[in-house]
Amino acid sequence: MASPMPHIEASKLTIPDVITGHVAGLSALTNSSATLLPVHFPGTGESIASLQEDAAAQVNTAVSAARARFHSGEWSQCTTTEKQRVFRAAAQAIRNNAHELALQESLCAGLPFAHLASRQIPRAADNFDFFADYIGQLAGETYDQLHDYRTVVTRQPAGVAAIFTPWNACLALSSMQIASCIAFGNSCVLKPSEFAPLAVLQLVRLLESAGLPSGVVNIVNGRGSVTGAALATAEGVDRIALTGRGNTARKVMAAAAARLTPVHFELEGNSANIIFDDADLDRAIDGALLSAFGNSGQICIAGSRILVQKNIADRFIEAFVARTKDLQVGDPLDDLTEVGPMAFAQHQQKILNYFALAENTDATLLTGGRAMPELGSGYFVAPTIFKVADNRSPLCQEEIFGPVVTIQIFNNDEDAWTIANDSRFGLIGYCWTESLRRAQAFQQRVDAGTLWLNTPIARDLRAPFGGFKASGIGRDGPRQAADFFTEEKATIAALGQPAIRKMGLGKRTKKDDAHS
Ligand code: NAD
């Protein structure tokens, strides 16, 4: 397809007219009766391709392909060394194709190319290297508490996983779930967001070129209500992992309940960023900007509820508003862009609706609060700050998922912990302080799966990641993935010939029993 966008032409990226799924044994031929969904470039709103939607029949074929590959043993029973070889080759292939992958992701979801190329795509490669290392260190367990017996605990892959991923970091998150799943020998069917189908498709091709047998990772495409719902209810799925919204998780969980399929959910947030009066204010401002507006604010880990202590509030707000007004908003393919468009038109509208709602609350608009038609027909929203008096405001209680932050002023430490926890979410807590006492209280008092102290966004892949409350069920992480994606099996073996209580020997006296 001839691209109307000069950057794409310059990059020599080829986008097919019709994007199809990737299922072992099925040729990627277009299906003339399938629904075609338009894929837009959010920077201009132009249509760049169509996405062929998979209905229940194709989803079931994909699950069968994954099951067949699983039962073939070609991957599920191959050696750790072979899995490590494939994972390391895949990581290298991702690095070699980083430019193309970042471009594909940016074109579909509108995320700033520079951020994708420098952070998210390298993370996708790191995920495979990380799990290659991890499976090389896995040890079994033995127990010998019973005299004459030895208990050995082994793990076997759970089977076939259904994986659902969102658009806001589709490749980074899909690669994490795929690596977590297939590292232990499972197969999967992945349904990426219909708004970010391109890079994930390329990822699977790279995995197969690195030696992954076809059928281990299959991709189905389409809307959540069609393809997603079919995958969530498909027979032959042993695990369900979803990264997305709470409402989606509720539907998927109801489907999983019918078969008692275990679920792992990574969900929403609207996380508190607490800035105390003894913080290094320059660093706190840098951190607050990055955590609020990084990834165009479309990020679950955003520190989008800023809580600032009263005696430094004026200084913080003045500097933070000035820097926010200076953010470079624009074409996501431009290397200098810091905040790109929203990923799709309805999402832009959802954020604009919050601005309309805010007019009827006590929120004071400090900057932004509008679309940006001066940037053309893309789905832009101006970086926005509201000063809010009450944490019960919907701006604080709901996930807005855009370049929008609220600032609240607190008086003392106790208020900070109370406001931070006054949320149905519990994904992240941020805190800026030079006080050890406050740092310790932060660690003990804030209810969130990840706490960032004097830093925005740093992640050690060995540590668990996930949310309290409505922010998720379960955790990402190597040990957590092993627990979720495998079944543990305890085998108890007799050492020698320990006595076996005898039954069926006819009528016996108490005296006989005492000797048996
Ligand atoms: P979403 O819930 O709309 O979609 C996620 C995936 O589920 C998509 O592939 C979608 O097509 C599919 N889906 C939607 N409805 C479905 C249904 N009824 N049945 C089955 N599948 C269905 O989320 P989104 O808008 O794509 O992503 C943004 C959300 O993801 C935000 O809420 C964000 O906080 C969350 N998120 C969380 C994390 C985390 O680690 N906690 C990371 C990234 C994004």
Side-chain angles (χ1 to χ4, degrees), residues 165-168 173 191 194 224 228 243-245 248 266-268 300 399 401 465:
T165 50
W167 46 265
N168 73 309
L173 296 168
K191 201 212 81 62
E194 58 274 35
T243 307
R245 291 176 300 131
T248 306
E266 298 286 345
L267 308 174
E268 300 166 48
C300 58
E399 185 194 60
F401 216 60
F465 178 87

mmCIF file with all atom_site columns, all heavy atoms in Angstrom, residues 165-168 173 191 194 224 228 243-245 248 266-268 300 399 401 465, ligand 1:
data_model
loop_
_atom_site.group_PDB
_atom_site.id
_atom_site.type_symbol
_atom_site.label_atom_id
_atom_site.label_alt_id
_atom_site.label_comp_id
_atom_site.label_asym_id
_atom_site.label_entity_id
_atom_site.label_seq_id
_atom_site.pdbx_PDB_ins_code
_atom_site.Cartn_x
_atom_site.Cartn_y
_atom_site.Cartn_z
_atom_site.occupancy
_atom_site.B_iso_or_equiv
_atom_site.pdbx_formal_charge
_atom_site.auth_seq_id
_atom_site.auth_comp_id
_atom_site.auth_asym_id
_atom_site.auth_atom_id
_atom_site.pdbx_PDB_model_num
ATOM   1   N N   . THR A 1 165 ? -3.976  -8.450  25.433 1.00 0.00 ? 165 THR A N   1
ATOM   2   C CA  . THR A 1 165 ? -3.097  -7.314  25.739 1.00 0.00 ? 165 THR A CA  1
ATOM   3   C C   . THR A 1 165 ? -3.695  -6.004  25.218 1.00 0.00 ? 165 THR A C   1
ATOM   4   O O   . THR A 1 165 ? -4.464  -5.989  24.258 1.00 0.00 ? 165 THR A O   1
ATOM   5   C CB  . THR A 1 165 ? -1.688  -7.534  25.155 1.00 0.00 ? 165 THR A CB  1
ATOM   6   O OG1 . THR A 1 165 ? -1.800  -7.915  23.788 1.00 0.00 ? 165 THR A OG1 1
ATOM   7   C CG2 . THR A 1 165 ? -0.930  -8.591  25.921 1.00 0.00 ? 165 THR A CG2 1
ATOM   8   N N   . PRO A 1 166 ? -3.321  -4.886  25.872 1.00 0.00 ? 166 PRO A N   1
ATOM   9   C CA  . PRO A 1 166 ? -3.887  -3.580  25.520 1.00 0.00 ? 166 PRO A CA  1
ATOM   10  C C   . PRO A 1 166 ? -3.031  -2.868  24.493 1.00 0.00 ? 166 PRO A C   1
ATOM   11  O O   . PRO A 1 166 ? -1.976  -3.362  24.084 1.00 0.00 ? 166 PRO A O   1
ATOM   12  C CB  . PRO A 1 166 ? -3.840  -2.847  26.855 1.00 0.00 ? 166 PRO A CB  1
ATOM   13  C CG  . PRO A 1 166 ? -2.602  -3.365  27.505 1.00 0.00 ? 166 PRO A CG  1
ATOM   14  C CD  . PRO A 1 166 ? -2.429  -4.795  27.042 1.00 0.00 ? 166 PRO A CD  1
ATOM   15  N N   . TRP A 1 167 ? -3.462  -1.663  24.115 1.00 0.00 ? 167 TRP A N   1
ATOM   16  C CA  . TRP A 1 167 ? -2.779  -0.941  23.052 1.00 0.00 ? 167 TRP A CA  1
ATOM   17  C C   . TRP A 1 167 ? -1.675  -0.027  23.567 1.00 0.00 ? 167 TRP A C   1
ATOM   18  O O   . TRP A 1 167 ? -0.857  0.443   22.802 1.00 0.00 ? 167 TRP A O   1
ATOM   19  C CB  . TRP A 1 167 ? -3.786  -0.082  22.264 1.00 0.00 ? 167 TRP A CB  1
ATOM   20  C CG  . TRP A 1 167 ? -4.713  0.702   23.130 1.00 0.00 ? 167 TRP A CG  1
ATOM   21  C CD1 . TRP A 1 167 ? -5.977  0.326   23.519 1.00 0.00 ? 167 TRP A CD1 1
ATOM   22  C CD2 . TRP A 1 167 ? -4.463  1.955   23.774 1.00 0.00 ? 167 TRP A CD2 1
ATOM   23  N NE1 . TRP A 1 167 ? -6.518  1.269   24.355 1.00 0.00 ? 167 TRP A NE1 1
ATOM   24  C CE2 . TRP A 1 167 ? -5.610  2.285   24.533 1.00 0.00 ? 167 TRP A CE2 1
ATOM   25  C CE3 . TRP A 1 167 ? -3.376  2.840   23.788 1.00 0.00 ? 167 TRP A CE3 1
ATOM   26  C CZ2 . TRP A 1 167 ? -5.704  3.448   25.293 1.00 0.00 ? 167 TRP A CZ2 1
ATOM   27  C CZ3 . TRP A 1 167 ? -3.473  4.002   24.549 1.00 0.00 ? 167 TRP A CZ3 1
ATOM   28  C CH2 . TRP A 1 167 ? -4.621  4.294   25.288 1.00 0.00 ? 167 TRP A CH2 1
ATOM   29  N N   . ASN A 1 168 ? -1.637  0.232   24.884 1.00 0.00 ? 168 ASN A N   1
ATOM   30  C CA  . ASN A 1 168 ? -0.784  1.337   25.323 1.00 0.00 ? 168 ASN A CA  1
ATOM   31  C C   . ASN A 1 168 ? 0.682   0.968   25.455 1.00 0.00 ? 168 ASN A C   1
ATOM   32  O O   . ASN A 1 168 ? 1.516   1.863   25.642 1.00 0.00 ? 168 ASN A O   1
ATOM   33  C CB  . ASN A 1 168 ? -1.308  1.924   26.633 1.00 0.00 ? 168 ASN A CB  1
ATOM   34  C CG  . ASN A 1 168 ? -1.050  0.994   27.800 1.00 0.00 ? 168 ASN A CG  1
ATOM   35  O OD1 . ASN A 1 168 ? -1.387  -0.182  27.733 1.00 0.00 ? 168 ASN A OD1 1
ATOM   36  N ND2 . ASN A 1 168 ? -0.439  1.483   28.834 1.00 0.00 ? 168 ASN A ND2 1
ATOM   37  N N   . LEU A 1 173 ? 4.198   -5.341  26.602 1.00 0.00 ? 173 LEU A N   1
ATOM   38  C CA  . LEU A 1 173 ? 3.372   -6.169  27.493 1.00 0.00 ? 173 LEU A CA  1
ATOM   39  C C   . LEU A 1 173 ? 3.103   -7.542  26.887 1.00 0.00 ? 173 LEU A C   1
ATOM   40  O O   . LEU A 1 173 ? 3.107   -8.550  27.584 1.00 0.00 ? 173 LEU A O   1
ATOM   41  C CB  . LEU A 1 173 ? 2.063   -5.450  27.804 1.00 0.00 ? 173 LEU A CB  1
ATOM   42  C CG  . LEU A 1 173 ? 2.254   -4.141  28.578 1.00 0.00 ? 173 LEU A CG  1
ATOM   43  C CD1 . LEU A 1 173 ? 0.974   -3.330  28.610 1.00 0.00 ? 173 LEU A CD1 1
ATOM   44  C CD2 . LEU A 1 173 ? 2.744   -4.412  29.980 1.00 0.00 ? 173 LEU A CD2 1
ATOM   45  N N   . LYS A 1 191 ? -4.505  -12.376 21.894 1.00 0.00 ? 191 LYS A N   1
ATOM   46  C CA  . LYS A 1 191 ? -5.336  -11.389 21.204 1.00 0.00 ? 191 LYS A CA  1
ATOM   47  C C   . LYS A 1 191 ? -4.821  -10.005 21.585 1.00 0.00 ? 191 LYS A C   1
ATOM   48  O O   . LYS A 1 191 ? -5.093  -9.493  22.661 1.00 0.00 ? 191 LYS A O   1
ATOM   49  C CB  . LYS A 1 191 ? -6.818  -11.508 21.578 1.00 0.00 ? 191 LYS A CB  1
ATOM   50  C CG  . LYS A 1 191 ? -7.663  -10.853 20.493 1.00 0.00 ? 191 LYS A CG  1
ATOM   51  C CD  . LYS A 1 191 ? -8.937  -10.223 20.953 1.00 0.00 ? 191 LYS A CD  1
ATOM   52  C CE  . LYS A 1 191 ? -8.848  -8.884  21.549 1.00 0.00 ? 191 LYS A CE  1
ATOM   53  N NZ  . LYS A 1 191 ? -8.348  -7.766  20.716 1.00 0.00 ? 191 LYS A NZ  1
ATOM   54  N N   . GLU A 1 194 ? -7.009  -4.414  19.195 1.00 0.00 ? 194 GLU A N   1
ATOM   55  C CA  . GLU A 1 194 ? -7.332  -4.123  17.783 1.00 0.00 ? 194 GLU A CA  1
ATOM   56  C C   . GLU A 1 194 ? -6.740  -2.789  17.349 1.00 0.00 ? 194 GLU A C   1
ATOM   57  O O   . GLU A 1 194 ? -6.713  -2.475  16.169 1.00 0.00 ? 194 GLU A O   1
ATOM   58  C CB  . GLU A 1 194 ? -8.851  -4.153  17.571 1.00 0.00 ? 194 GLU A CB  1
ATOM   59  C CG  . GLU A 1 194 ? -9.679  -3.196  18.428 1.00 0.00 ? 194 GLU A CG  1
ATOM   60  C CD  . GLU A 1 194 ? -10.059 -3.749  19.811 1.00 0.00 ? 194 GLU A CD  1
ATOM   61  O OE1 . GLU A 1 194 ? -9.245  -4.481  20.405 1.00 0.00 ? 194 GLU A OE1 1
ATOM   62  O OE2 . GLU A 1 194 ? -11.157 -3.426  20.295 1.00 0.00 ? 194 GLU A OE2 1
ATOM   63  N N   . GLY A 1 224 ? -12.643 -6.696  21.183 1.00 0.00 ? 224 GLY A N   1
ATOM   64  C CA  . GLY A 1 224 ? -12.792 -7.465  22.419 1.00 0.00 ? 224 GLY A CA  1
ATOM   65  C C   . GLY A 1 224 ? -14.128 -8.159  22.502 1.00 0.00 ? 224 GLY A C   1
ATOM   66  O O   . GLY A 1 224 ? -14.220 -9.320  22.919 1.00 0.00 ? 224 GLY A O   1
ATOM   67  N N   . GLY A 1 228 ? -12.223 -11.273 21.315 1.00 0.00 ? 228 GLY A N   1
ATOM   68  C CA  . GLY A 1 228 ? -11.825 -11.442 22.716 1.00 0.00 ? 228 GLY A CA  1
ATOM   69  C C   . GLY A 1 228 ? -12.810 -12.332 23.450 1.00 0.00 ? 228 GLY A C   1
ATOM   70  O O   . GLY A 1 228 ? -12.414 -13.271 24.152 1.00 0.00 ? 228 GLY A O   1
ATOM   71  N N   . THR A 1 243 ? -4.186  -8.086  30.400 1.00 0.00 ? 243 THR A N   1
ATOM   72  C CA  . THR A 1 243 ? -3.757  -6.757  30.817 1.00 0.00 ? 243 THR A CA  1
ATOM   73  C C   . THR A 1 243 ? -4.744  -5.794  30.177 1.00 0.00 ? 243 THR A C   1
ATOM   74  O O   . THR A 1 243 ? -4.856  -5.757  28.942 1.00 0.00 ? 243 THR A O   1
ATOM   75  C CB  . THR A 1 243 ? -2.323  -6.464  30.325 1.00 0.00 ? 243 THR A CB  1
ATOM   76  O OG1 . THR A 1 243 ? -1.477  -7.537  30.750 1.00 0.00 ? 243 THR A OG1 1
ATOM   77  C CG2 . THR A 1 243 ? -1.798  -5.166  30.917 1.00 0.00 ? 243 THR A CG2 1
ATOM   78  N N   . GLY A 1 244 ? -5.472  -5.043  31.000 1.00 0.00 ? 244 GLY A N   1
ATOM   79  C CA  . GLY A 1 244 ? -6.494  -4.176  30.418 1.00 0.00 ? 244 GLY A CA  1
ATOM   80  C C   . GLY A 1 244 ? -7.315  -3.488  31.474 1.00 0.00 ? 244 GLY A C   1
ATOM   81  O O   . GLY A 1 244 ? -6.852  -3.245  32.592 1.00 0.00 ? 244 GLY A O   1
ATOM   82  N N   . ARG A 1 245 ? -8.565  -3.213  31.143 1.00 0.00 ? 245 ARG A N   1
ATOM   83  C CA  . ARG A 1 245 ? -9.446  -2.462  32.031 1.00 0.00 ? 245 ARG A CA  1
ATOM   84  C C   . ARG A 1 245 ? -10.219 -3.402  32.965 1.00 0.00 ? 245 ARG A C   1
ATOM   85  O O   . ARG A 1 245 ? -10.440 -4.574  32.636 1.00 0.00 ? 245 ARG A O   1
ATOM   86  C CB  . ARG A 1 245 ? -10.442 -1.641  31.205 1.00 0.00 ? 245 ARG A CB  1
ATOM   87  C CG  . ARG A 1 245 ? -9.780  -0.494  30.446 1.00 0.00 ? 245 ARG A CG  1
ATOM   88  C CD  . ARG A 1 245 ? -10.756 0.238   29.564 1.00 0.00 ? 245 ARG A CD  1
ATOM   89  N NE  . ARG A 1 245 ? -11.343 -0.666  28.582 1.00 0.00 ? 245 ARG A NE  1
ATOM   90  C CZ  . ARG A 1 245 ? -12.647 -0.767  28.340 1.00 0.00 ? 245 ARG A CZ  1
ATOM   91  N NH1 . ARG A 1 245 ? -13.504 -0.023  28.987 1.00 0.00 ? 245 ARG A NH1 1
ATOM   92  N NH2 . ARG A 1 245 ? -13.092 -1.611  27.443 1.00 0.00 ? 245 ARG A NH2 1
ATOM   93  N N   . THR A 1 248 ? -13.299 -5.083  31.449 1.00 0.00 ? 248 THR A N   1
ATOM   94  C CA  . THR A 1 248 ? -12.959 -6.233  30.600 1.00 0.00 ? 248 THR A CA  1
ATOM   95  C C   . THR A 1 248 ? -12.658 -7.444  31.484 1.00 0.00 ? 248 THR A C   1
ATOM   96  O O   . THR A 1 248 ? -13.119 -8.567  31.216 1.00 0.00 ? 248 THR A O   1
ATOM   97  C CB  . THR A 1 248 ? -11.733 -5.894  29.728 1.00 0.00 ? 248 THR A CB  1
ATOM   98  O OG1 . THR A 1 248 ? -12.006 -4.702  29.021 1.00 0.00 ? 248 THR A OG1 1
ATOM   99  C CG2 . THR A 1 248 ? -11.417 -7.013  28.756 1.00 0.00 ? 248 THR A CG2 1
ATOM   100 N N   . GLU A 1 266 ? -3.743  -7.800  35.076 1.00 0.00 ? 266 GLU A N   1
ATOM   101 C CA  . GLU A 1 266 ? -2.998  -6.556  35.331 1.00 0.00 ? 266 GLU A CA  1
ATOM   102 C C   . GLU A 1 266 ? -3.902  -5.426  34.858 1.00 0.00 ? 266 GLU A C   1
ATOM   103 O O   . GLU A 1 266 ? -4.159  -5.308  33.651 1.00 0.00 ? 266 GLU A O   1
ATOM   104 C CB  . GLU A 1 266 ? -1.677  -6.541  34.536 1.00 0.00 ? 266 GLU A CB  1
ATOM   105 C CG  . GLU A 1 266 ? -0.697  -7.648  34.904 1.00 0.00 ? 266 GLU A CG  1
ATOM   106 C CD  . GLU A 1 266 ? -0.013  -7.413  36.240 1.00 0.00 ? 266 GLU A CD  1
ATOM   107 O OE1 . GLU A 1 266 ? -0.067  -6.285  36.770 1.00 0.00 ? 266 GLU A OE1 1
ATOM   108 O OE2 . GLU A 1 266 ? 0.570   -8.385  36.760 1.00 0.00 ? 266 GLU A OE2 1
ATOM   109 N N   . LEU A 1 267 ? -4.377  -4.581  35.809 1.00 0.00 ? 267 LEU A N   1
ATOM   110 C CA  . LEU A 1 267 ? -5.469  -3.663  35.462 1.00 0.00 ? 267 LEU A CA  1
ATOM   111 C C   . LEU A 1 267 ? -5.133  -2.196  35.728 1.00 0.00 ? 267 LEU A C   1
ATOM   112 O O   . LEU A 1 267 ? -3.977  -1.808  35.681 1.00 0.00 ? 267 LEU A O   1
ATOM   113 C CB  . LEU A 1 267 ? -6.745  -4.108  36.188 1.00 0.00 ? 267 LEU A CB  1
ATOM   114 C CG  . LEU A 1 267 ? -7.108  -5.601  35.986 1.00 0.00 ? 267 LEU A CG  1
ATOM   115 C CD1 . LEU A 1 267 ? -8.298  -5.998  36.838 1.00 0.00 ? 267 LEU A CD1 1
ATOM   116 C CD2 . LEU A 1 267 ? -7.382  -5.905  34.513 1.00 0.00 ? 267 LEU A CD2 1
ATOM   117 N N   . GLU A 1 268 ? -6.175  -1.432  36.066 1.00 0.00 ? 268 GLU A N   1
ATOM   118 C CA  . GLU A 1 268 ? -6.082  0.038   36.025 1.00 0.00 ? 268 GLU A CA  1
ATOM   119 C C   . GLU A 1 268 ? -5.388  0.651   37.237 1.00 0.00 ? 268 GLU A C   1
ATOM   120 O O   . GLU A 1 268 ? -5.138  -0.016  38.229 1.00 0.00 ? 268 GLU A O   1
ATOM   121 C CB  . GLU A 1 268 ? -7.504  0.604   35.961 1.00 0.00 ? 268 GLU A CB  1
ATOM   122 C CG  . GLU A 1 268 ? -8.282  0.151   34.755 1.00 0.00 ? 268 GLU A CG  1
ATOM   123 C CD  . GLU A 1 268 ? -9.762  0.444   34.892 1.00 0.00 ? 268 GLU A CD  1
ATOM   124 O OE1 . GLU A 1 268 ? -10.117 1.578   35.265 1.00 0.00 ? 268 GLU A OE1 1
ATOM   125 O OE2 . GLU A 1 268 ? -10.567 -0.454  34.638 1.00 0.00 ? 268 GLU A OE2 1
ATOM   126 N N   . CYS A 1 300 ? -0.630  2.726   32.704 1.00 0.00 ? 300 CYS A N   1
ATOM   127 C CA  . CYS A 1 300 ? -1.291  2.308   33.939 1.00 0.00 ? 300 CYS A CA  1
ATOM   128 C C   . CYS A 1 300 ? -0.538  2.778   35.168 1.00 0.00 ? 300 CYS A C   1
ATOM   129 O O   . CYS A 1 300 ? -1.121  2.971   36.216 1.00 0.00 ? 300 CYS A O   1
ATOM   130 C CB  . CYS A 1 300 ? -1.417  0.786   33.952 1.00 0.00 ? 300 CYS A CB  1
ATOM   131 S SG  . CYS A 1 300 ? 0.175   -0.046  33.824 1.00 0.00 ? 300 CYS A SG  1
ATOM   132 N N   . GLU A 1 399 ? -9.906  6.125   36.400 1.00 0.00 ? 399 GLU A N   1
ATOM   133 C CA  . GLU A 1 399 ? -8.690  6.164   35.582 1.00 0.00 ? 399 GLU A CA  1
ATOM   134 C C   . GLU A 1 399 ? -8.996  6.933   34.303 1.00 0.00 ? 399 GLU A C   1
ATOM   135 O O   . GLU A 1 399 ? -9.840  6.500   33.513 1.00 0.00 ? 399 GLU A O   1
ATOM   136 C CB  . GLU A 1 399 ? -8.228  4.737   35.241 1.00 0.00 ? 399 GLU A CB  1
ATOM   137 C CG  . GLU A 1 399 ? -6.912  4.731   34.501 1.00 0.00 ? 399 GLU A CG  1
ATOM   138 C CD  . GLU A 1 399 ? -6.588  3.391   33.865 1.00 0.00 ? 399 GLU A CD  1
ATOM   139 O OE1 . GLU A 1 399 ? -7.389  2.925   33.013 1.00 0.00 ? 399 GLU A OE1 1
ATOM   140 O OE2 . GLU A 1 399 ? -5.542  2.817   34.205 1.00 0.00 ? 399 GLU A OE2 1
ATOM   141 N N   . PHE A 1 401 ? -6.484  7.990   32.011 1.00 0.00 ? 401 PHE A N   1
ATOM   142 C CA  . PHE A 1 401 ? -5.607  7.347   31.023 1.00 0.00 ? 401 PHE A CA  1
ATOM   143 C C   . PHE A 1 401 ? -5.247  8.274   29.864 1.00 0.00 ? 401 PHE A C   1
ATOM   144 O O   . PHE A 1 401 ? -5.328  7.918   28.684 1.00 0.00 ? 401 PHE A O   1
ATOM   145 C CB  . PHE A 1 401 ? -6.245  6.061   30.495 1.00 0.00 ? 401 PHE A CB  1
ATOM   146 C CG  . PHE A 1 401 ? -5.254  4.972   30.232 1.00 0.00 ? 401 PHE A CG  1
ATOM   147 C CD1 . PHE A 1 401 ? -4.459  4.471   31.241 1.00 0.00 ? 401 PHE A CD1 1
ATOM   148 C CD2 . PHE A 1 401 ? -5.087  4.440   28.953 1.00 0.00 ? 401 PHE A CD2 1
ATOM   149 C CE1 . PHE A 1 401 ? -3.533  3.471   31.009 1.00 0.00 ? 401 PHE A CE1 1
ATOM   150 C CE2 . PHE A 1 401 ? -4.155  3.440   28.697 1.00 0.00 ? 401 PHE A CE2 1
ATOM   151 C CZ  . PHE A 1 401 ? -3.391  2.950   29.735 1.00 0.00 ? 401 PHE A CZ  1
ATOM   152 N N   . PHE A 1 465 ? 5.357   -7.593  39.990 1.00 0.00 ? 465 PHE A N   1
ATOM   153 C CA  . PHE A 1 465 ? 4.680   -6.370  39.549 1.00 0.00 ? 465 PHE A CA  1
ATOM   154 C C   . PHE A 1 465 ? 3.198   -6.677  39.414 1.00 0.00 ? 465 PHE A C   1
ATOM   155 O O   . PHE A 1 465 ? 2.812   -7.641  38.747 1.00 0.00 ? 465 PHE A O   1
ATOM   156 C CB  . PHE A 1 465 ? 5.228   -5.890  38.190 1.00 0.00 ? 465 PHE A CB  1
ATOM   157 C CG  . PHE A 1 465 ? 4.503   -4.664  37.702 1.00 0.00 ? 465 PHE A CG  1
ATOM   158 C CD1 . PHE A 1 465 ? 4.919   -3.412  38.090 1.00 0.00 ? 465 PHE A CD1 1
ATOM   159 C CD2 . PHE A 1 465 ? 3.373   -4.780  36.914 1.00 0.00 ? 465 PHE A CD2 1
ATOM   160 C CE1 . PHE A 1 465 ? 4.217   -2.278  37.689 1.00 0.00 ? 465 PHE A CE1 1
ATOM   161 C CE2 . PHE A 1 465 ? 2.661   -3.655  36.508 1.00 0.00 ? 465 PHE A CE2 1
ATOM   162 C CZ  . PHE A 1 465 ? 3.096   -2.397  36.895 1.00 0.00 ? 465 PHE A CZ  1
HETATM 163 P P1  . NAD B 2 .   ? -9.205  -3.214  27.370 1.00 0.00 ? 1   NAD B P1  1
HETATM 164 O O1  . NAD B 2 .   ? -9.587  -3.861  28.634 1.00 0.00 ? 1   NAD B O1  1
HETATM 165 O O2  . NAD B 2 .   ? -10.231 -2.484  26.602 1.00 0.00 ? 1   NAD B O2  1
HETATM 166 O O3  . NAD B 2 .   ? -8.587  -4.286  26.358 1.00 0.00 ? 1   NAD B O3  1
HETATM 167 C C1  . NAD B 2 .   ? -7.555  -5.163  26.710 1.00 0.00 ? 1   NAD B C1  1
HETATM 168 C C2  . NAD B 2 .   ? -7.631  -6.379  25.788 1.00 0.00 ? 1   NAD B C2  1
HETATM 169 O O4  . NAD B 2 .   ? -8.817  -7.111  26.078 1.00 0.00 ? 1   NAD B O4  1
HETATM 170 C C3  . NAD B 2 .   ? -7.729  -5.986  24.307 1.00 0.00 ? 1   NAD B C3  1
HETATM 171 O O5  . NAD B 2 .   ? -7.067  -6.941  23.529 1.00 0.00 ? 1   NAD B O5  1
HETATM 172 C C4  . NAD B 2 .   ? -9.220  -6.021  24.065 1.00 0.00 ? 1   NAD B C4  1
HETATM 173 O O6  . NAD B 2 .   ? -9.587  -6.180  22.717 1.00 0.00 ? 1   NAD B O6  1
HETATM 174 C C5  . NAD B 2 .   ? -9.620  -7.203  24.903 1.00 0.00 ? 1   NAD B C5  1
HETATM 175 N N1  . NAD B 2 .   ? -11.035 -7.190  25.299 1.00 0.00 ? 1   NAD B N1  1
HETATM 176 C C6  . NAD B 2 .   ? -11.848 -6.122  25.440 1.00 0.00 ? 1   NAD B C6  1
HETATM 177 N N2  . NAD B 2 .   ? -13.086 -6.526  25.770 1.00 0.00 ? 1   NAD B N2  1
HETATM 178 C C7  . NAD B 2 .   ? -13.058 -7.864  25.873 1.00 0.00 ? 1   NAD B C7  1
HETATM 179 C C8  . NAD B 2 .   ? -14.018 -8.868  26.202 1.00 0.00 ? 1   NAD B C8  1
HETATM 180 N N3  . NAD B 2 .   ? -15.280 -8.567  26.485 1.00 0.00 ? 1   NAD B N3  1
HETATM 181 N N4  . NAD B 2 .   ? -13.628 -10.155 26.218 1.00 0.00 ? 1   NAD B N4  1
HETATM 182 C C9  . NAD B 2 .   ? -12.342 -10.478 25.954 1.00 0.00 ? 1   NAD B C9  1
HETATM 183 N N5  . NAD B 2 .   ? -11.393 -9.584  25.614 1.00 0.00 ? 1   NAD B N5  1
HETATM 184 C C10 . NAD B 2 .   ? -11.750 -8.286  25.572 1.00 0.00 ? 1   NAD B C10 1
HETATM 185 O O7  . NAD B 2 .   ? -7.974  -2.258  27.714 1.00 0.00 ? 1   NAD B O7  1
HETATM 186 P P2  . NAD B 2 .   ? -7.265  -1.233  26.726 1.00 0.00 ? 1   NAD B P2  1
HETATM 187 O O8  . NAD B 2 .   ? -8.121  -0.029  26.593 1.00 0.00 ? 1   NAD B O8  1
HETATM 188 O O9  . NAD B 2 .   ? -6.799  -1.927  25.509 1.00 0.00 ? 1   NAD B O9  1
HETATM 189 O O10 . NAD B 2 .   ? -5.963  -0.877  27.583 1.00 0.00 ? 1   NAD B O10 1
HETATM 190 C C11 . NAD B 2 .   ? -5.902  0.133   28.524 1.00 0.00 ? 1   NAD B C11 1
HETATM 191 C C12 . NAD B 2 .   ? -6.117  -0.421  29.923 1.00 0.00 ? 1   NAD B C12 1
HETATM 192 O O11 . NAD B 2 .   ? -5.112  -1.377  30.241 1.00 0.00 ? 1   NAD B O11 1
HETATM 193 C C13 . NAD B 2 .   ? -5.999  0.651   30.979 1.00 0.00 ? 1   NAD B C13 1
HETATM 194 O O12 . NAD B 2 .   ? -7.047  0.520   31.887 1.00 0.00 ? 1   NAD B O12 1
HETATM 195 C C14 . NAD B 2 .   ? -4.673  0.375   31.650 1.00 0.00 ? 1   NAD B C14 1
HETATM 196 O O13 . NAD B 2 .   ? -4.568  0.803   32.996 1.00 0.00 ? 1   NAD B O13 1
HETATM 197 C C15 . NAD B 2 .   ? -4.578  -1.105  31.538 1.00 0.00 ? 1   NAD B C15 1
HETATM 198 N N6  . NAD B 2 .   ? -3.187  -1.530  31.617 1.00 0.00 ? 1   NAD B N6  1
HETATM 199 C C16 . NAD B 2 .   ? -2.755  -2.125  32.759 1.00 0.00 ? 1   NAD B C16 1
HETATM 200 C C17 . NAD B 2 .   ? -1.421  -2.493  32.880 1.00 0.00 ? 1   NAD B C17 1
HETATM 201 C C18 . NAD B 2 .   ? -0.896  -3.144  34.143 1.00 0.00 ? 1   NAD B C18 1
HETATM 202 O O14 . NAD B 2 .   ? 0.192   -3.704  34.095 1.00 0.00 ? 1   NAD B O14 1
HETATM 203 N N7  . NAD B 2 .   ? -1.608  -3.084  35.244 1.00 0.00 ? 1   NAD B N7  1
HETATM 204 C C19 . NAD B 2 .   ? -0.538  -2.260  31.820 1.00 0.00 ? 1   NAD B C19 1
HETATM 205 C C20 . NAD B 2 .   ? -1.036  -1.643  30.673 1.00 0.00 ? 1   NAD B C20 1
HETATM 206 C C21 . NAD B 2 .   ? -2.362  -1.287  30.568 1.00 0.00 ? 1   NAD B C21 1
#
